[in-house]
Amino acid sequence: MYRETIPAALTKTASDHRSRTALTFLRQGIVETELTFEQLLNEICRLASFFSDWGVRQGSRVVLFIPKSVYTVVSHFAAQSLGAISVPLNPDFTRSEVKYLLEDATPQLIICEPGKTDFLKDIYPRGNFYEVSTQTPYPDKEGEPTEPFILPDIDSSADDPALIIYTSGTTGNPKGAVLTHRNLLHDARNINDTWEIKSSDIICHALPLFHVHGLCFALQTPLRAGARIAMLDSYHPQHLLNELSRRSGVTVCTVFMAVPAMYTKLLDSCHNEKFDFSHLRLITSGSAPLLVKEFERITRFFGQEP
């Protein structure tokens, strides 16, 4: 029986890999922020304390309505560290979509960009809104305490809910799929075992963080193994290609996870260029069917099967 919770897993990983880099965030293909495992945990603890001041408690829902960023990563884990439930939403959702999702999720706190607050207040007037700018480097170290924070002492269980991901492609309104700490950590362990994700791996992360593929499989899973994540701020074929083909420096990627449409767009942009991807030991495709012809194109391009 898997009894660990996400806060416990974060603490153990940070202890095991303290000074190693956990996250390298690239904006428009340029490294903007780097955090070690110890720094990442400290930022999670600090934000968890701040969320607590906003009334976030065990079982509260915290909506993440912000673009892909380091702040998204830290907010997600900070909510779970309080025993709250992270609810990531696509920041490009329409008014009607957001209205339904907020009314269904009933969040204690909504994290959003400054330009989105009035829009959201009009839709969901009873909400608490915390504005953050994700377009500047994170974190702002000015005034940071010299002593590290510690995670709150929460009497949580592995079977407590940790994440709500809203489904798509169903009939009717989206359904909120509830995933527990046990679900998420058990999946992470199975993937790490199956794909042999190790602390020596560097994962190229080009997926969105409002989807289970990018948030769980490509983020939480490698972090649990002590691997490093090279996270692109958005999907841009040329920036992605630059990272995947990089053969020197600190972010020579060994693993790439994507959906079929990303592979198609990437290959369509290359115009018969040749690259050496021998440093990539694993590429994966998921979240949608992969057509045979696309499978064959990917195999030829990367020199291995996804």
Side-chain angles (χ1 to χ4, degrees):
M1 188 72 75
Y2 207 68
R3 302 181 185 277
E4 196 174 28
T5 62
I6 288 171
L10 288 170
T11 302
K12 184 178 187 308
T13 302
S15 176
D16 292 343
H17 305 281
R18 189 176 301 275
S19 61
R20 299 184 68 254
T21 301
L23 182 66
T24 299
F25 184 78
L26 299 96
R27 189 181 301 279
Q28 296 298 302
I30 300 172
V31 173
E32 179 180 271
T33 302
E34 289 196 320
L35 294 174
T36 65
F37 280 93
E38 185 175 39
Q39 289 171 331
L40 178 59
L41 179 63
N42 196 49
E43 293 301 321
I44 291 167
C45 294
R46 180 164 63 160
L47 197 58
S49 176
F50 184 75
F51 284 178
S52 181
D53 293 340
W54 279 81
V56 175
R57 301 289 184 265
Q58 192 165 4
S60 299
R61 286 92 181 271
V62 177
V63 162
L64 312 181
F65 193 68
I66 50 179
K68 184 180 182 181
S69 60
V70 177
Y71 216 105
T72 314
V73 175
V74 176
S75 299
H76 169 66
F77 289 122
Q80 294 176 335
S81 297
L82 288 168
I85 306 165
S86 173
V87 187
L89 299 181
N90 184 344
D92 292 327
F93 274 154
T94 64
R95 178 187 176 90
S96 61
E97 289 172 323
V98 176
K99 179 177 175 61
Y100 165 77
L101 294 170
L102 292 181
E103 290 178 349
D104 187 71
T106 61
Q108 171 63 29
L109 183 63
I110 301 167
I111 305 171
C112 62
E113 290 269 301
K116 293 284 189 178
T117 306
D118 290 342
F119 164 73
L120 292 170
K121 281 183 177 179
D122 187 51
I123 294 172
Y124 194 71
R126 67 180 184 274
N128 296 315
F129 301 91
Y130 173 48
E131 295 182 349
V132 297
S133 174
T134 63
Q135 303 306 308
T136 56
Y138 180 99
D140 179 3
K141 292 292 186 181
E142 184 178 351
E144 182 179 357
T146 55
E147 294 297 322
F149 282 86
I150 58 173
L151 288 172
D153 185 14
I154 304 295
D155 184 20
S156 58
S157 160
D159 291 316
D160 288 343
L163 174 67
I164 294 177
I165 290 284
Y166 279 92
T167 61
S168 60
T170 59
T171 56
N173 290 320
K175 313 299 189 296
V178 180
L179 298 172
T180 66
H181 292 258
R182 188 191 306 277
N183 292 149
L184 297 172
L185 291 174
H186 191 275
D187 282 351
R189 183 180 63 178
N190 284 344
I191 294 168
N192 283 334
D193 288 347
T194 302
W195 288 344
E196 299 181 344
I197 305 294
K198 307 295 183 186
S199 61
S200 56
D201 279 314
I202 300 177
I203 285 75
C204 183
H205 193 301
L207 291 156
L209 288 175
F210 53 80
H211 190 280
V212 72
H213 196 163
L215 189 65
C216 301
F217 289 87
L219 175 67
Q220 182 168 298
T221 293
L223 284 180
R224 186 70 183 92
R228 180 176 185 159
I229 297 173
M231 180 175 285
L232 281 65
D233 64 323
S234 60
Y235 177 73
H236 185 287
Q238 190 56 56
H239 295 159
L240 174 57
L241 188 61
N242 290 343
E243 287 307 304
L244 291 177
S245 61
R246 185 188 304 280
R247 298 189 56 81
S248 63
V250 295
T251 57
V252 178
C253 295
T254 61
V255 177
F256 177 54
M257 304 179 193
V259 300
M262 292 171 66
Y263 282 112
T264 299
K265 192 171 182 179
L266 179 66
L267 270 60
D268 287 347
S269 70
C270 289
H271 308 297
N272 298 318
E273 296 174 83
K274 300 294 183 181
F275 300 92
D276 180 3
F277 295 113
S278 58
H279 54 287
L280 282 171
R281 71 165 190 84
L282 174 68
I283 59 173
T284 74
S285 179
S287 299
L290 180 63
L291 298 177
V292 172
K293 66 176 183 178
E294 292 303 297
F295 176 88
E296 292 172 348
R297 286 183 72 201
I298 295 168
T299 300
R300 288 193 299 270
F301 183 73
F302 284 96
Q304 59 177 297
E305 296 180 354

